[in-house]
């Protein structure tokens, strides 16, 4: 809602598509984050890779990566390792093979590829339930794709399914071709409900269902098993959150091989730099060194929930989290008050995100979380 967007003067450039002048740039950070601050606004993992893994990557860069050669366009090694991880992580009985995987420059790239594959050229619109990850709408709009939005219940953030069914049955614009859901949702941190899953399963084969599992490592809840019987479903995952590789931009899609082939057709041939492919592979091979931090974060989340619900019960409307962040509103205060609170926390050195009519705060290190709670307390008791 009050995400900071900067307008550009594209409307004065005669060769630029007229509809682009209506679109603001997606800006993940509202402020300059080069100062030493607690960066709790983008749901990254709070810790860098262990030095042991950085040493491995350094060694590989020096001795094995050929900087003069193009990357492996086939992503073969990455796909093999990812497929193995998906099978292990989601406990799927049916095999997920490299043919079920496409790797992107972040899952953001895969979102764009899915939009190109389905809706570009007036072929259809997308449906999202707000508040949700805003990039679906932003990317769709840059491609001239209409976005249909429905709401959620503020009690538990469940999607307004009646509105969603109505929007699909009687489209206001071109027919709904893709439904995007996040599992668990960002910014509200709730998993899909059983009713929502049943609704998604009931969607006809000419509607693509995208289940974004960016926070899977935290939620440990996956719908990957659906892929085996649902050719119109795709699961998105990323290395940017639980795997601590946001700097390297690696995401992946899991879907039926026919759909994967379309994604492979659409992507840029060398979409993934060699060093990023290497980093993803090293991270997967050493996941026993990386994923324990997810456990620590979950423990920190529990501690934070305890503090929030005891110390702020009379100030904040809080929702439980299935991910590595919390979402809240003021019990007594509007969106403008939330905007002020955000600015004040940022001023004190905690970057947070004011979005969708609430505030989202990433669970950080123990020290960061202490500071978050302290700064919230100072601010809310004024
Ligand atoms: C962080 C996030 C992503 C971004 O993933 P990248 O792989 O870094 O592009 C995608 N979807 C959701 C819901 C996210 O929160």
């Amino acid at each position: 809602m009050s995400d900071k967007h900067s307008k550009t003067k594209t409307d004065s450039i005669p060769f630029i598509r007229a509809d682009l002048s209506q679109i603001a740039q997606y800006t993940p950070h509202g402020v300059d984050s080069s100062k030493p601050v607690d960066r709790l606004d983008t749901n990254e993992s709070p810790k860098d890779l262990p030095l042991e893994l950085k040493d491995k990557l350094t060694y590989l860069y020096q001795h094995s990566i050929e900087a003069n050669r193009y990357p492996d366009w086939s992503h073969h090694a990455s796909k093999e390792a990812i497929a193995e991880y998906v099978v292990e992580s989601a406990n799927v009985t049916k095999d997920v093979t490299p043919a079920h995987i496409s790797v992107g420059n972040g899952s953001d790239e895969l979102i764009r590829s899915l939009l190109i594959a389905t809706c570009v050229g007036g072929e259809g619109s997308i449906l999202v339930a707000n508040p949700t990850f805003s990039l679906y709408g932003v990317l769709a709009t840059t491609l001239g794709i209409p976005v249909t939005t429905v709401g959620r219940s503020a009690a538990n953030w469940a999607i307004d399914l009646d509105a969603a069914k109505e929007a699909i049955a009687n489209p206001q614009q071109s027919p709904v071709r893709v439904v995007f859901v996040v599992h668990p949702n960002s910014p509200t941190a709730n998993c899909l409900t059983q009713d929502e899953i049943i609704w998604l399963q009931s969607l006809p084969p000419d509607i693509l269902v995208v289940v974004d599992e960016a926070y899977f490592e935290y939620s440990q809840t996956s719908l990957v098993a659906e892929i085996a019987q649902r050719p119109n479903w795709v699961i998105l995952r990323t290395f940017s959150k639980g795997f601590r590789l946001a700097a390297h931009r690696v995401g992946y899609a899991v879907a039926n091989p026919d759909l994967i082939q379309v994604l492979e057709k659409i992507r840029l041939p060398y979409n993934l730099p060699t060093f990023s492919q290497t980093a993803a592979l090293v991270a997967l091979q050493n996941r026993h060194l990386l994923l324990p931090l997810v456990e620590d974060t979950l423990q920190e989340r529990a501690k934070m929930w305890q503090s929030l619900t005891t110390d702020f019960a009379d100030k904040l409307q809080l929702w439980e989290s299935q991910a590595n962040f919390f979402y809240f509103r003021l019990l007594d205060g509007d969106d403008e008050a939330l905007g002020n609170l955000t600015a004040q926390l940022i001023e004190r050195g905690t970057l947070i995100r004011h979005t969708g009519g609430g505030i989202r705060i990433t669970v950080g290190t123990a020290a960061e979380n202490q500071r978050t709670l302290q700064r919230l307390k100072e601010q809310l008791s004024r």
Side-chain angles (χ1 to χ4, degrees):
M1 226 165 263
S2 82
D3 293 330
K4 302 239 173 9
H5 287 303
S6 48
K7 284 268 175 204
T8 49
K9 291 208 207 89
T10 41
D11 40 354
S12 61
I13 309 176
F15 49 80
I16 296 297
R17 260 167 49 205
D19 60 325
L20 283 180
S21 69
Q22 305 306 315
I23 304 169
Q25 186 188 356
Y26 178 81
T27 49
H29 293 279
V31 294
D32 165 27
S33 59
S34 57
K35 297 186 287 182
V37 287
D38 296 337
R39 287 167 289 175
L40 304 179
D41 58 339
T42 48
N43 297 343
E44 295 148 340
S45 174
K47 292 194 179 153
D48 200 343
L49 292 182
L51 207 53
E52 190 183 340
L53 292 198
K54 285 209 160 175
D55 284 345
K56 266 195 178 90
L57 285 172
T58 307
Y59 180 89
L60 289 170
Y61 190 64
Q62 284 184 329
H63 300 283
S64 137
I65 288 175
E66 299 171 289
N68 60 318
R69 301 293 174 192
Y70 281 112
D72 171 16
W73 58 269
S74 75
H75 306 155
H76 184 71
S78 311
K79 286 183 179 187
E80 290 240 305
I82 289 168
E84 185 200 308
Y85 170 67
V86 169
V87 169
E88 170 198 294
S89 70
N91 221 340
V92 277
T93 45
K94 288 249 168 51
D95 271 355
V96 172
T97 68
H100 293 81
I101 308 289
S102 182
V103 194
N105 193 285
S107 42
D108 294 352
E109 184 197 9
L110 296 161
I111 294 166
R112 178 142 66 184
S113 293
L114 288 166
L115 291 166
I116 293 170
T118 51
C119 298
V120 158
E123 293 279 326
S125 62
I126 69 163
L127 179 83
V128 296
N130 283 332
T132 194
F133 190 45
S134 59
L135 199 65
Y136 308 130
V138 172
L139 291 179
T141 312
T142 64
L143 294 168
I145 297 167
V147 181
T148 301
T149 60
V150 297
R152 291 171 182 268
S153 147
N156 61 355
W157 299 116
I159 298 170
D160 183 344
L161 290 182
D162 290 336
K165 287 171 191 168
E166 171 62 23
I168 288 173
N170 297 303
Q172 299 293 302
Q173 13 208 6
S174 44
V176 172
R177 201 51 78 218
V178 190
V179 173
F180 282 95
V181 292
V182 198
H183 182 54
N185 190 39
S186 175
T188 55
N190 56 304
C191 279
L192 289 168
T193 64
Q194 205 51 40
D195 284 348
E196 288 169 333
I197 294 171
I198 290 168
W199 169 64
L200 292 170
Q201 288 168 335
S202 77
L203 291 173
D206 62 350
I207 295 182
L208 176 68
V209 174
V210 183
V211 181
D212 188 337
E213 295 186 354
Y215 300 96
F216 164 73
E217 279 72 25
Y218 296 99
S219 73
Q220 289 298 316
T221 307
S222 178
L223 290 170
V224 154
E226 297 288 319
I227 294 305
Q229 67 264 23
R230 297 188 199 284
N232 64 324
W233 281 43
V234 55
I235 309 286
L236 298 181
R237 300 250 192 102
T238 179
F239 284 87
S240 300
K241 306 282 160 62
F243 270 100
R244 302 195 234 172
L245 284 186
H248 288 287
R249 312 297 305 121
V250 188
Y252 57 95
V254 189
N256 183 285
D258 293 343
L259 176 54
I260 291 299
Q261 284 211 343
V262 176
L263 290 176
E264 294 288 294
K265 222 189 287 193
I266 283 170
R267 69 172 169 85
L268 296 177
Y270 302 116
N271 63 332
L272 213 63
T274 305
F275 199 54
S276 291
Q277 295 190 37
T278 307
L281 203 54
V282 166
L284 279 173
Q285 287 163 348
N286 294 277
R287 53 189 181 267
H288 59 287
L289 298 177
L290 289 175
L291 295 179
L293 183 62
V294 168
E295 287 306 315
D296 294 354
T297 302
L298 294 180
Q299 280 175 26
E300 278 301 312
R301 183 181 79 188
K303 278 201 280 179
M304 235 181 135
W305 176 249
Q306 181 69 27
S307 301
L308 287 168
T309 48
T310 41
D311 299 350
F312 300 97
D314 58 339
K315 306 261 189 215
L316 301 180
Q317 184 180 11
L318 293 152
W319 289 273
E320 261 186 281
S321 170
Q322 306 297 320
N324 65 332
F325 53 87
F326 282 106
Y327 194 62
F328 63 80
R329 283 179 174 168
L330 294 167
L331 280 173
D332 184 20
D334 55 10
D335 204 50
E336 194 184 328
L338 282 176
N340 293 335
L341 179 59
T342 305
Q344 286 150 352
L345 252 79
I346 291 173
E347 183 62 33
R348 282 167 189 254
T350 298
L351 298 189
I352 57 177
R353 191 159 168 103
H354 176 208
T355 182
I359 286 177
R360 192 189 70 190
I361 300 188
T362 309
V363 178
T365 61
E368 286 173 327
N369 301 334
Q370 274 306 318
R371 287 194 289 269
T372 296
L373 292 166
Q374 183 57 35
R375 287 164 182 168
L376 265 178
K377 200 172 285 178
E378 286 163 11
Q379 214 47 57
L380 290 171
S381 60
R382 281 147 68 96

